Amino acid sequence: MPKISAATVAEHHAQQRLALVRAARALLEGGDAEAVTFTAVAKVTGLARNSVYKYFPGRPELLAAVVEDAMPRWTSAIRAGMSAAATPEQKIAAYVTSQLELVRSGEHRIAQALAGVRDAAVVRESAAQAHRELLTPLTGALAELGDDDPRRTAMLLQGIVNAATTAIESGDDAVTVTGRAARMAVAAAMGSTASA
C-alpha cells in the first residue's frame, strides 16, 4: 500500500487532488490552457502520470476543478467589497470595482485561459455556474433598488465589467477604466430602475 501523508486515506486523497488542482492553476497562470496536461501536473506534484487518473477521469474534469477551486476567492472578494457599501448604488460600484481589482491582480488570466478550452462541456458548465454565483450579490443589490428584472439587468451590467476587463488586459489604465466602469454600471442600473 502506498504511503499516505494524512491522518486518513480520504484526507490524503483530498490533499493530492488539491495539489493537482493547484498545479493546474499554476500552469494556467501562463495564459495557455494547453499547458495543462496530466504529464505536466504530475511533474509539478511529483506524482506518476497514471496516478492523476485516480483523481480525475480526464483533463476537462481537472480544469473544471480549477474553476470550482477559484470561485470561492472571487465570490468572497466581491461579497466583501459589497458588504462594506452602505447603499445599493455603492454595492453596484463595489461589485464592479472588486471584480476589476481581481483582474488587475492577475486572477482573470486563469479564466481567460480556460475560455480557450475547446470541446469541454464540463469546463463550460463549471464556468457558467461560476458566473451565476458571481451575479447573485449584484442581483440582490438591484432588487433593493426596485429593478423589475434584476437577473437580466445583472447580466447586462456584467457586460460593462467584461468590457472593462478587456480594456485593462489590453493595457489601458486600470484605475481610470475601473472608475469609469463603476460609474457607468451605477448609472445604467439607476436608469433601468427609473424606467421600470
Side-chain angles (χ1 to χ4, degrees), residues 86-173:
T87 67
E89 295 90 340
Q90 291 171 345
K91 288 178 183 178
I92 291 165
Y95 174 85
V96 173
T97 302
S98 298
Q99 275 197 74
L100 295 177
E101 285 173 5
L102 288 165
V103 170
R104 286 191 333 197
S105 74
E107 279 285 323
H108 191 255
R109 281 194 306 267
I110 293 162
Q112 192 176 34
L114 287 168
V117 175
R118 290 182 227 109
D119 304 323
V122 67
V123 176
R124 285 192 301 277
E125 180 49 41
S126 287
Q129 176 61 31
H131 279 274
R132 285 190 292 272
E133 288 178 32
L134 280 180
L135 291 176
T136 300
L138 178 58
T139 302
L142 290 164
E144 280 183 62
L145 278 174
D147 191 297
D148 67 337
D149 194 353
R151 184 196 62 80
R152 183 168 284 130
T153 302
M155 288 172 49
L156 294 170
L157 292 180
Q158 181 62 38
I160 294 172
V161 176
N162 296 346
T165 296
T166 300
I168 291 169
E169 290 179 339
S170 297
D172 204 340
D173 180 69

Side-chain angles (χ1 to χ4, degrees), residues 96 100 160-161 164 176-186:
V96 173
L100 295 177
I160 294 172
V161 176
T176 302
V177 170
T178 299
R180 183 171 293 272
R183 289 189 302 275
M184 287 177 68
V186 170

Side-chain angles (χ1 to χ4, degrees), residues 17-135:
R17 190 176 194 280
L18 182 58
L20 291 165
V21 168
R22 298 282 164 86
R25 176 187 164 83
L27 291 165
L28 282 168
E29 286 174 356
D32 180 13
E34 296 306 313
V36 181
T37 64
F38 277 17
T39 300
V41 294
K43 183 176 180 182
V44 171
T45 58
L47 291 174
R49 182 182 175 279
N50 62 345
S51 295
V52 179
Y53 288 97
K54 294 177 185 174
Y55 303 94
F56 298 99
R59 184 172 167 272
E61 290 79 10
L62 172 59
L63 293 172
V66 172
V67 174
E68 291 158 15
D69 179 65
M71 203 59 236
R73 284 189 297 282
W74 277 76
T75 53
S76 70
I78 291 166
R79 287 181 189 278
M82 291 179 76
S83 69
T87 67
E89 295 90 340
Q90 291 171 345
K91 288 178 183 178
I92 291 165
Y95 174 85
V96 173
T97 302
S98 298
Q99 275 197 74
L100 295 177
E101 285 173 5
L102 288 165
V103 170
R104 286 191 333 197
S105 74
E107 279 285 323
H108 191 255
R109 281 194 306 267
I110 293 162
Q112 192 176 34
L114 287 168
V117 175
R118 290 182 227 109
D119 304 323
V122 67
V123 176
R124 285 192 301 277
E125 180 49 41
S126 287
Q129 176 61 31
H131 279 274
R132 285 190 292 272
E133 288 178 32
L134 280 180
L135 291 176

